[in-house]
Structures are given as C-alpha cells and as structure tokens.
Amino acid sequence: MTDSSGAKAAMIEISGLRKDYGSVVALHDTELSVPTGEFLTLLGPSGSGKTTLLNLIAGMASPTRGRIVINGRDVTEVPAEKRGLGMVFQNYALMPHMTVSENIAFPLEIRKVPRAEIRRRVAEVLDLVRLPHVGDRKPKELSGGQQQRISIARCIVYKPDLILMDEPLGALDKKLREQMQLEIRRIHKELGITMLYVTHDQEEALNMSDRIMLMNARRVEQIGTPDQLYFAPRTQFAADFIGASTLLDATVAETGEPALLRLSASESCRVRLHSAAPVGTVGKLLLRPEALRLVQNGQVTAGHNVLHGHLDNTLVTGATSKHFVTLDNGATLAIQELTDPSTTRLEPGLRVQVSWPPETGRFLEN
Amino acid sequence: MQIRTTNAHVRDAAYAMPAALFMALLFALPLFSVLHQSLQQENGGGLTIQAYAKIFTTPLFLRVAYTTLEVSISATVFSLLLAYPIAYFLAKQSPRRRALYMILVLVPFWTSSLVKSFSFMVLLGQSGIINQMLGAFGIAPVKMLFNRFGVMVGMSHFLIPFFVFPILTSLRSQPLELAKAAAIMGAGKLRIFLRVTLPLSLPGVMAGALLVFILSLGFYIIPALLGGRQDMMFANLVDFYTREALNWPMASAVAVLLVAAAALAAMLLSKVRGGSSILSEEGH
C-alpha cells in the first residue's frame, strides 16, 4: 500500500464534497484525505455534519456535488451495496432472527464464500472479538457490549478496505465504553483496516484516534492529531470542545517573543503567538486547568504569568483536585492539580494567585 | 403496596364492567341459549347430544365443513398475496402520505358487506360492467358470479384491511438500520427483502392470517350473494337449518361448532408473536 515516494496511499480522498437538503446545507464543501490504515475520528456536537459526511461515504445519501474516491476508485455514483465497506452502528443492527454465527456469515454468503470457509472464518473472528462460544445464540441473548463486538466481527469477517463506525459505543455505560475503546484499538492495530469513527465524545476521540477531524456547524473546524487538537487548537470552538478550558477576553498589546496580552485595565500576561496577530487584535486566551498553578503569598516562578483573585471552592475528585478561582476582573477559571493537602485545605474566600508559564497559554483570535 | 394493587385491580375491573355486562347479556347469554338449544331433541324431550351425533354423519354438514375450510384457507392466502404489497408500500411512505393512503385501505372496511356484495354483482354479473367491457373487445362473457371466483373477490375485498394492519405494524417496527446494514454489507434489494424484511414481518403475517381465517369461517352475506350452491359455508348452513329445514337443534349445533372453531383459532392467535397485540390492542 505504499507508492514510490514512500508515502502511504490514501484510502479515502474527498474533494469539494457538499450536501444540501433543499435550501438547508447539511455539509459545507469538505476536503479530506485519509491514509490507508489510519484511525480517523469525526468529532463534533450533534448537528455538526459528521453523520452526514459518514452517510455520504457509506453511500446512504448522495452528495449535491464533489467526489469521493475510496481505495483509488471513484465511488461518488456507486450504490452502498457495491462500495465494499463495513459499518458498525450505535444500536448494533444485528439481524434479530439470525443466530450470531448466521449474522457473521451473512456478508460472506453474499460474497459466495464456500460453506467450509465461512465456518472457519466465523470461528476466527469470534475468537478475535473474544466471544468464541456464543455462535449459536441469538443477538438478544447477549449484553450490549457483546452485541457490539459481534457487529464488529460481522464487519471485519469480510475484510472491507474501510470500516465506518457511527457512535458505536454510544449505548454502552462508561466502564464498558472504555473497555470497548481499547478493544476497537486492538482490533485496528491487529488488522490494520482503515477506520472512520464518529463520536461526539471528545475523550473517546482523544483516546482512540490517529487523527481527529473536528466538525462544527456542518463544516470542518480543524483536523490533526489528538496532540495538535489539544495543545494547538486553531479556533475558540476547538479549544472549548476538546478538553477542559478557560477562555479569557484578551487583546494583543505588544507583539514579540513572547507577546503581551492585555486581559483587563490592570491585568496582562505574556504568551507565545502562533500567528502573526498585530497589536490591537481582539480574541481569547486559552488556559488549560492542568497548566495552571494555585499560588499563595506571591511565590511565583520568575517569568511566569500571574493573576490575582480569590478561591471560590475546591473539589477533591481523587488523584487530582480542582480549584475554582474568581479573578479580580470577575472571570472565573478552574485549576487542576494533583491532590495536595496543603492546597485542598485552603479556606474559600482566601486571596490567591494563579500562575502559568507563557508557553502554555494560547491566544485565539475572534 | 398490597392495598394499592388490590385497589388498582378493583378500579380496572370497574372500567371493564360496562363492556363485560354488554358481552354477558348480548353474547354469553344467547350463546348459552344456543348451546342449550343444540342439546334439545328434535321433537322435544330431555337433553341429548343427538344433534352433534347426527351432524357428523350428515354428508351435507361434512361437505359444508370442507367448503368452509377450503374457502377460508384460499381467501386467507389470496388476501395475503394482495395485502402484503400494500402493507410494504405503506411502510415505505412518509407519515403524511401513509395516513392518506390508509384511508383508501379503510374505505372498504367502513362499507357494509351487503352494499359491497351488490356492487360486485353489478360489476361481475353476466351482463355486468366488466363483461360489457370484455364484450367490446369481442370476448365472450366470463362467469364471475355465483361461483368460487365471486366469493374470493368479495371476501378478499373485505379481508384485506385486516391483513394490511398487522403486516404494516411488523414492517414498521423493524429498525431502519437493519436494511441499511445489509446494504452496506453488499446485499441487493431482493436479498434484503428475502433475508431481512420478509422473515422479520412473519409474526405480522401469522397474526394477520389467523385473524383473517377466523373472520372467514363466519362469512355469511358474501357466499350467499356472490357464491353458488356449492359455496355454502357454516353460517349459510345455520341459516338453512333455521329457516328451511326448521331444525333448530341442528342449526344450534353447527353454530356452537363454528364458535368453537373460531375460539380455537383465537387462542392460537394469542400465542403467536404480534398476535396478542391484535387481541389486546396493546402493541408489543
């Protein structure tokens, strides 16, 4: 699957793809290239267009314009059943009248695979999803997590080039969801099948993805690795949607390395700009709770920013604790630290300082 | 908790009282009277099972029983073949359109059998509308009335709505993702229908078939008006014994057997998946 330049060939190549329903835009012009073997997550709130994009790729809806190329084949006009894809649904979509084995054998029967080989491959994928003994049961007799494993097995048994997953863990409880995330990652690693995964759960996206495509208001907001989206969000929406964040009003007061941001009449801080924003640019300062430190009595590391306020309250959530601080300018922010009795026992109302190094803040233009 | 449940039972029973009273007075009581009548001797005297003993050795009864079974089964099959495509079509429509088309299905349902039978006589008669049209093309008149064909047309027309609804319900309760999943796995439209849609609609088909079969057993007006002498069914036989042979014990015995057959089929109906919803109106 590598071409002469050594770069991986694209499994999905989407250009100028758009979907309208009458006068309503369901998906604005979208470009996307997914290398073979990648685990790409479409992340966004409901109504952001991620399901529309998935349906267009699956062939369940046809685009208003644009092209979809899968594994080198233009499938824009090809009906769903001829695209050779796999799909996993939130509600499993297992056939209730068929046994687990019959469900998994169904796509193989369509492909006219000989009976003996069907038996062998069904047993093989049941082993792969670690449910070797449920072949004779009906889907209803299995738990939600088990049913979703069967639906994944039904998908990988015919080795599609690409597997689409539409919020597959949405119906499961939190603990099972985390277990299944690992399971899906393991299967992805073992088989190397390209996966396109839709979720609205940012934590799930960060856990599982090679890359995340963040969608908002029916267009692509940002695409990048989990690291890039978390540490280098390009927009306020991206900063707010992924991870916990505090966004403070800010204006560029001085450019330079680092630049000076004015937060209020009396407060300012230093930050490294990642774009050439001229003096006077208005935007927000993004601060992640875990990058902030709660300080008392002005014991601030030299060169770090500091803001003054008073402690509202403290929540001990286990290994980490959260402090909520109201700044003198009225804004509130959250600080997350490893639980330490010397700070968790502070009285609410106490004057405190919040400090952070210039490189961890991020200025996002309006 | 115990008290509340008891109260709830009392309250529910109270709701059912008017209907129960109605059924007791107008169904159970007359039924007992019919049962009693069927156990009378022909010339008066004590109770006897003479009528039943006689019935099973009467060639007329046996022939009518056979006809009733044959007509009921073929009407059920015929109605199914016509109703399934209608239900399938309705299931695919948007809710607004479905509501509209549903009215078309229900119109025959709301029309009296008597009126419909006379309409069919006008349509199917020897010099009826259809035969006149065939005549215009030089085709000799086809006998469509006073035979099995006429009975089938009349009965199916009456029975189709009773078949459409249970099938439609089971088609509509199928998750849309199933067909979608099958398509993405590579299944064509025919295979999706045969392997997914059809098998999952079988409970509705079974429920509808039993319901339609039960209704068929008791048909009276349609075989009387559209059928010939050889199309006599149970209800027509009851009529024959009451009004022509004036043998009330025999008429009552036939009626009791008819009710028993229908009750048996209704018990089967409550056993099939989807059937209980028709009997209890509860769905699921």
Side-chain angles (χ1 to χ4, degrees), chain A residues 6 9 55 74 76 79 104 110 125 143 157 165 182 202 211 220 280 306 314 328 338 348 351:
Chain A
N55 278 336
D74 187 334
T76 315
I104 300 173
I110 296 168
V125 291
S143 71
V157 75
M165 296 197 178
L182 293 175
Q202 45 102 8
R211 280 197 306 159
V220 180
V306 60
T314 296
D328 290 346
L338 288 176
R351 291 287 303 167

Side-chain angles (χ1 to χ4, degrees), chain B residues 153-234:
Chain B
V153 170
M155 285 180 72
S156 315
H157 192 253
F158 180 90
L159 294 169
I160 282 170
F162 293 95
F163 233 136
V164 167
F165 288 103
I167 296 175
L168 181 63
T169 305
S170 69
L171 285 174
R172 298 233 306 126
S173 66
Q174 294 182 19
L176 291 173
E177 279 80 9
L178 295 183
K180 193 169 156 183
I184 290 173
M185 283 187 276
K189 291 205 162 50
L190 183 66
R191 189 190 295 266
I192 292 174
F193 178 75
L194 292 176
R195 291 295 308 276
V196 182
T197 313
L198 182 63
L200 286 175
S201 68
L202 286 183
V205 170
M206 271 308 289
L210 276 167
L211 181 68
V212 163
F213 181 75
I214 294 167
L215 288 171
S216 301
L217 289 177
F219 264 58
Y220 169 67
I221 293 173
I222 291 169
L225 293 182
L226 302 180
R229 287 187 60 84
Q230 71 285 2
D231 298 312
M232 191 183 240
M233 292 176 70
F234 270 155

Side-chain angles (χ1 to χ4, degrees), chain A residues 18-35:
Chain A
R18 181 192 176 91
K19 178 68 179 174
D20 299 325
Y21 288 104
S23 59
V24 181
V25 184
L27 183 70
H28 289 283
D29 291 40
T30 297
E31 311 290 322
L32 173 65
S33 176
V34 184

Side-chain angles (χ1 to χ4, degrees), chain A residues 55 58 60 80-81 85 87 89 91 93-98 106-107 109-111 154 158, chain B residues 175 177-189 191-192 195-197 199-200 273:
Chain A
N55 278 336
M60 303 313 298
E81 67 266 25
L85 307 180
M87 185 152 173
F89 295 81
N91 55 9
L94 294 170
M95 308 300 167
H97 56 300
M98 300 182 189
F106 186 56
E109 284 166 24
I110 296 168
R111 285 160 181 75
R154 179 179 67 173
Y158 59 98
Chain B
E177 279 80 9
L178 295 183
K180 193 169 156 183
I184 290 173
M185 283 187 276
K189 291 205 162 50
R191 189 190 295 266
I192 292 174
R195 291 295 308 276
V196 182
T197 313
L200 286 175
R273 214 147 45 92

Side-chain angles (χ1 to χ4, degrees), chain A residues 246-288:
Chain A
T246 299
L247 293 166
L248 301 176
D249 290 326
T251 310
V252 178
E254 279 172 30
T255 53
E257 279 299 315
L260 187 72
L261 290 183
R262 185 150 297 288
L263 302 175
S264 67
S266 59
E267 292 165 313
S268 61
C269 69
R270 296 272 170 192
V271 69
R272 280 189 215 289
L273 295 181
H274 60 279
S275 63
V279 171
T281 308
V282 180
K284 302 264 190 205
L285 172 68
L286 162 67
L287 296 172
R288 296 287 187 202

Side-chain angles (χ1 to χ4, degrees), chain B residues 60-82:
Chain B
L60 178 64
F61 173 81
L62 296 175
R63 219 191 64 211
V64 169
Y66 180 77
T67 307
T68 304
L69 209 61
E70 196 183 57
V71 168
S72 299
I73 290 172
S74 40
T76 304
V77 172
F78 204 51
S79 309
L80 170 63
L81 293 179
L82 293 170

